[in-house]
Amino acid sequence: MGDGQFEGDKDKILEGGGKILAGSKPNADTALKYIDQDCPLPFHAFGIIFGAIISGTYETSRDSVSSNTKQAAEITQKAADGLLAVARNFAGADEKSSVQKFPSSANSYQTPSGSLSSLSGFQTGAMGLGGLGGLAVTLQRLPMLPALNPRHYATLTALTSARAMAPTAIIATAIWLLTKPDDEALTKAVNAWAAAAGHLEKVSIDSDTKDTFKDEKSWSGTSKDAYDAWVAKFETAAKKLQQGAAKNQETLETVTQSILTMQLIAFGFAIASLAVIIAFYVASFLPVVGPAFKVLTQIQGLLLGAGTASLVVQTVTVAGAVMAGGSAVAIQGSYDWANLHVNPQGGEFIDTKQITWDEPSELPKG
């Protein structure tokens, strides 16, 4: 082809825009609902002590993934709009081998799904596809978290029993009360992250959409080159977004396992201490040596408090480090979306909206 000519199939370009809108958009929207509605955790979800250390970090991470997911939904909409604009341009230029200006008649070009100025047809299809995608994710085997509350109360029972004989054990009891988790909130958040990650895996320009433009006759030239470059950036950002959601799920599971380990150790320590306290308490009623065992009973209560405090502090430190590491991964893709635009002035993905076909620099090369 000579200068001033172009290659493009309006129907193929229109089909590609519809596939993006029907595939990525509803999955991004659904993921966003999970992240915003089910992933937020109350301050005390891991226990008040843990909340003071990791709640803010978790919320920062969740908010970052939420913001990026919202941008992903918006950019897929804009990408579809951009491709529809390209289709309009080709529709209005079909009858000419060289186009000097964009004809206004292209604005009213009709497709079986309605006017190109309206996306209602694609939106209806997208809703249907999104519903199937939601069902598929729901049917996936969701992660199973260990129940923390039963173990918490088992340890609390042992500590309360110890306190009845050794009042100094009240320190251990008070500390342990501040570690009470919220199983329901944790399970809900972890399952929501799993579901969100599943939907975000589908936020991509899939092979079916790419195959729509596989034949050069369907679309070629500078606008197609710009679109391909944009897709590469989009795929990178989308992959990091999916990894961020998956990392938040993994982080919550890891922190939960750390607390479970703490509970198991605390229960064993509490039972062992309780056995010693019972022995000392019984011996405190013996003549002669009774007063000494009374003192030993209280000392053992203090040791129980010190041991419990040490275990909790160590677990909080580990959980804080895990949460910080997970958050760093989850928010690392924040800046990728800032470079993803559709036809900004002088930016990426050019030649999609308000294309000036009579500018030689923007004419596809044959």
Side-chain angles (χ1 to χ4, degrees), residues 215-257:
D215 187 347
E216 285 192 4
K217 292 183 179 180
S218 64
W219 187 17
S220 62
T222 53
S223 61
K224 176 59 164 55
D225 293 340
Y227 168 79
D228 288 340
W230 180 90
V231 167
K233 291 183 178 181
F234 178 89
E235 295 285 69
T236 298
K239 183 64 176 177
K240 287 184 179 180
L241 178 57
Q242 187 274 326
Q243 290 173 342
K247 189 63 178 180
N248 272 336
Q249 174 195 337
E250 178 189 326
T251 298
L252 288 185
E253 291 175 330
T254 302
V255 172
T256 300
Q257 288 295 334

Side-chain angles (χ1 to χ4, degrees), residues 40 63 79 201 263 280 333:
D63 184 67
E201 286 180 351
Q263 289 182 332
F280 286 170

Side-chain angles (χ1 to χ4, degrees), residues 33 78 89 151 260 354:
K33 288 182 180 179
K78 291 178 180 179
N89 289 329
R151 296 173 177 82
L260 174 62
Q354 300 177 353

Side-chain angles (χ1 to χ4, degrees), residues 96-149:
K96 299 181 179 181
S97 60
S98 179
V99 180
Q100 297 304 313
K101 69 176 183 177
F102 174 67
S104 59
S105 59
N107 286 319
S108 59
Y109 173 71
Q110 296 292 311
T111 70
S113 61
S115 171
L116 284 172
S117 61
S118 171
L119 301 180
S120 58
F122 290 125
Q123 287 170 335
T124 300
M127 289 297 290
L129 187 61
L132 292 175
L135 177 61
V137 172
T138 302
L139 292 178
Q140 290 179 352
R141 184 177 180 181
L142 294 174
M144 295 295 293
L145 283 184
L148 299 178
N149 268 334

Side-chain angles (χ1 to χ4, degrees), residues 153-174:
Y153 284 115
T155 301
L156 183 62
T157 299
L159 294 176
T160 302
S161 299
R163 189 185 64 178
M165 293 171 281
T168 51
I170 192 173
I171 298 174
T173 305

